[in-house]
């Protein structure tokens, strides 16, 4: 099936909005329908509002342009909230740039939709085999993208608070069990010292819900869908183990352990002592360490019965299928794969370096460093979200169901509805075959 006849699985992009965005994209640097004008290639990134990461992108582009006189890369940055819809609209109008970044869970959808072309970076300075598996985007046994970093979910707490309440500080080798975790929350609640014993970031939206909570679902023994062929959610998302997770998830609200909708800055609330334990990301590790020093506990995910789990995959670089200068695009991709840029990204963004070599050059992330456990979490516990073009739709349905459950919906009914809707989407799209 030709790429232009396919539809993005996500239901979040409206036709009217896409039409408006096409007009906007056509007037930008990506005016060529091929993504290149002669030997000048356009690059799109989602980092318009993230100056630290954008500066690294600019540095790589500047270094590449100065290193040779065959190709020139031009940058166009978008705000993250607008980025995905801009790409979808541009793809519909055949106006994608040659180079673009893509959120890891969307790689399969964009590859299936014909937005992306496979890449070959085999002779780069940093081999793909040296990277954390979650930082390489594959679909149907082909590489479509790679990232310079990942992030890891973790529990943050104060060691002094846990000690005061007789709560064991878990380790990678011996994480909390469900029983231990529930008992800890009960003790912290009973103390009356916190607005909520646990901060789970329930005020967030979008991909946070699948990223933050589906690993807990997986640790219970459930999943977002059947990964054997990716042809059904029924029987998996609404399975007994998935319902068990959802019932527990809802109990966190009913027992007063978490807020049904947390505040605008959950990490700030944690640092202010409003919560005792926070389920958060590695991006706040340095800030928390600066504030709490040696009192900060970086805690692995809970083992709810099927091993500790966290989400894997972050932003990755890719090449569009419509690029008329793929040789130039791959030259930039290969050039970017230098160890120094892996280091630059991690230092600028506070993320986990995608290679061990880079980690050894970043204070705190080297073996034995105060943040090295986060790298180990990513290596040992990370589960990529379902590698299927259906994923954006799956994620949207899971978010709806999880929010309904926290609001009081019957867990089995909410998950059952989501599973049926996902199955319908799969069938409508011929199970994303081809």
């Amino acid at each position: 099936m030709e790429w232009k006849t396919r539809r993005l699985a996500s239901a979040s992009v409206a036709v009217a909005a896409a039409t408006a965005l096409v007009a906007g994209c056509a007037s930008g640097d990506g005016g060529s329908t091929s993504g290149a004008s002669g030997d000048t290639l356009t690059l799109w990134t989602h980092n318009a509002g993230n100056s630290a990461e954008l500066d690294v992108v600019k540095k790589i582009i500047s270094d590449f342009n100065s290193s040779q006189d065959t190709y020139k890369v031009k940058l166009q940055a978008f705000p993250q909230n607008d980025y995905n819809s801009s790409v979808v609209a541009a793809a519909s109008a055949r106006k994608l740039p040659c180079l673009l970044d893509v959120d890891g869970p969307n790689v399969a959808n964009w590859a299936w939709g014909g937005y992306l072309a496979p890449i070959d970076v085999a002779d780069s300075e940093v081999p793909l085999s040296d990277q954390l598996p979650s930082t390489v985007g594959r679909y149907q046994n082909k590489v479509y993208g790679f990232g310079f970093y990942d992030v890891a979910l973790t529990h943050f707490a104060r060691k002094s608070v846990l000690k005061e309440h007789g709560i064991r500080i878990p380790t990678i080798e011996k994480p909390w069990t469900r029983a231990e975790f529930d008992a800890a929350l009960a003790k912290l609640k009973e103390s009356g010292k916190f607005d909520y014993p646990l901060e789970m970031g329930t005020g967030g939206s979008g991909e946070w819900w699948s990223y933050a909570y589906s690993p807990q679902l997986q640790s219970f023994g459930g999943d977002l869908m059947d990964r054997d062929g990716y042809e059904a959610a029924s029987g998996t998302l609404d399975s007994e183990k998935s319902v068990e997770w959802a019932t527990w998830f809802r109990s966190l609200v009913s027992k007063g352990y978490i807020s049904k909708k947390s505040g605008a800055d959950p990490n700030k609330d944690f640092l202010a002592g409003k919560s005792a334990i926070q389920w958060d990301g590695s991006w706040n590790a340095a800030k928390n360490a600066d504030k709490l020093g040696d009192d900060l506990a970086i805690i692995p995910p809970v083992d709810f019965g099927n091993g500790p789990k966290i989400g894997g995959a972050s932003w990755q670089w890719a090449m569009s299928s419509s690029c008329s200068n793929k040789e130039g695009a791959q030259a930039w991709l290969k050039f970017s794969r230098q160890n120094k840029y892996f280091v630059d990204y991690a230092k600028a963004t506070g993320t986990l370096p995608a290679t061990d070599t880079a980690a050894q050059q970043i204070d705190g992330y080297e073996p034995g460093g105060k943040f090295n456990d986060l790298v180990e979490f990513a290596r040992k516990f990370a589960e990529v979200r379902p590698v299927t073009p259906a994923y954006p739709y799956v994620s949207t349905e899971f978010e709806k169901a999880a929010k309904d459950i926290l609001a009081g919906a019957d867990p089995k009914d909410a998950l059952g509805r989501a599973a049926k809707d996902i199955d319908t989407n799969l069938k409508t799209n011929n199970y994303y075959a081809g």
Side-chain angles (χ1 to χ4, degrees):
M1 185 184 297
E2 290 294 320
W3 75 270
K4 61 185 176 182
T5 66
R6 291 178 169 176
R7 295 179 293 134
L8 183 73
S10 173
S12 63
V13 182
V15 174
T19 302
L21 284 163
V22 169
C25 294
S27 63
D29 287 342
S32 168
T33 58
S34 65
S37 177
D39 292 321
T40 298
L41 298 85
T42 302
L43 176 149
W44 281 10
T45 178
H46 72 288
N47 282 309
N50 182 350
S51 60
E53 187 167 347
L54 185 60
D55 284 347
V56 179
V57 178
K58 289 178 178 178
K59 183 177 189 296
I60 298 173
I61 291 174
S62 176
D63 290 352
F64 175 75
N65 290 345
S66 300
S67 71
Q68 43 74 51
D69 55 12
T70 305
Y71 310 110
K72 181 180 180 181
V73 173
K74 292 178 66 177
L75 172 70
Q76 185 169 354
F78 293 77
Q80 183 170 334
N81 289 342
D82 298 334
Y83 183 72
N84 286 350
S85 54
S86 297
V87 170
V88 174
S92 300
R94 297 287 287 179
K95 293 187 179 295
L96 281 174
C98 269
L99 294 159
L100 66 166
D101 55 7
V102 51
D103 200 2
N106 290 334
V107 167
N109 183 276
W110 288 13
W112 168 84
Y115 302 177
L116 308 180
I119 59 174
D120 179 9
V121 291
D123 58 349
S124 304
E125 177 182 309
V126 177
L128 286 173
S129 59
D130 284 1
Q131 293 196 214
L132 290 170
S134 60
T135 63
V136 180
R138 291 184 169 89
Y139 177 62
Q140 295 187 338
N141 299 316
K142 296 178 181 179
V143 175
Y144 283 90
F146 65 84
F148 289 87
Y149 57 83
D150 205 347
V151 289
L153 285 163
T154 181
H155 288 293
F156 292 120
R158 290 169 172 80
K159 295 175 184 177
S160 56
V161 167
L162 299 181
K163 183 177 180 180
E164 178 187 352
H165 293 88
I167 299 168
R168 179 180 70 88
I169 299 176
T171 62
I172 294 177
E173 294 74 21
K174 191 177 180 183
W176 277 327
T177 63
R178 175 185 173 181
E180 280 186 291
F181 189 47
D182 288 346
L185 296 178
K187 285 182 179 180
L188 294 166
K189 174 68 176 177
E190 187 178 359
S191 74
K193 294 183 177 181
F194 309 97
D195 292 357
Y196 295 97
L198 177 63
E199 173 55 72
M200 289 271 278
T202 51
S205 60
E207 188 57 24
W208 168 252
W209 283 73
S210 292
Y211 177 70
Y213 311 132
S214 68
Q216 296 173 338
L217 165 72
Q218 292 165 335
S219 185
F220 266 84
D223 207 344
L224 294 171
M225 63 188 306
D226 183 355
R227 298 195 185 215
D228 184 10
Y230 297 105
E231 294 186 347
S234 294
T236 301
L237 181 55
D238 56 355
S239 67
E240 181 179 344
K241 291 296 185 181
S242 294
V243 173
E244 185 180 351
W245 162 79
T247 303
W248 171 84
F249 191 52
R250 169 60 193 170
S251 76
L252 297 177
V253 172
S254 59
K255 292 179 179 179
Y257 293 166
I258 67 171
S259 170
K260 185 166 61 177
K261 185 176 182 180
S262 54
D265 192 340
N267 187 244
K268 183 177 180 180
D269 289 343
F270 165 70
L271 290 176
K274 294 182 178 181
S275 56
I277 301 171
Q278 185 190 11
W279 183 233
D280 195 19
S282 53
W283 51 85
N284 275 323
K287 180 198 297 185
N288 292 348
D290 288 344
K291 175 76 172 181
L292 303 179
D294 291 340
D295 197 28
L296 176 67
I298 297 176
I299 297 172
V302 177
D303 182 352
F304 289 104
N306 284 267
K309 308 286 185 184
I310 62 172
S314 192
W315 287 88
Q316 302 174 4
W317 287 103
M319 174 176 67
S320 73
S321 59
S322 58
C323 176
S324 64
N325 195 337
K326 290 184 172 63
E327 183 177 345
Q330 296 205 120
W332 184 84
L333 291 169
K334 291 176 183 178
F335 178 88
S336 75
R337 294 185 54 75
Q338 298 181 51
N339 183 66
K340 63 182 179 180
Y341 297 133
F342 282 82
V343 173
D344 287 345
Y345 265 105
K347 285 183 175 179
T349 61
T351 50
L352 309 182
T355 69
D356 287 340
T357 301
Q360 291 169 5
Q361 299 178 47
I362 301 171
D363 184 37
Y365 289 91
E366 74 281 4
K370 59 185 176 181
F371 302 130
N372 185 252
D373 276 358
L374 294 166
V375 179
E376 292 302 307
F377 295 172
R379 180 175 290 109
K380 295 181 178 181
F381 304 144
E383 295 276 350
V384 296
R385 280 146 282 182
V387 185
T388 168
Y391 178 73
Y393 188 85
V394 172
S395 180
T396 298
E397 290 303 308
F398 177 74
E399 178 184 358
K400 290 179 185 175
K403 286 182 174 178
D404 286 346
I405 289 164
L406 286 191
D410 179 79
K412 186 174 180 62
D413 289 346
L415 292 180
R417 285 193 301 272
K420 289 178 182 176
D421 287 344
I422 292 168
D423 286 354
T424 298
N425 177 272
L426 292 166
K427 185 176 180 180
T428 299
N429 286 281
N430 194 30
Y431 302 96
Y432 296 87

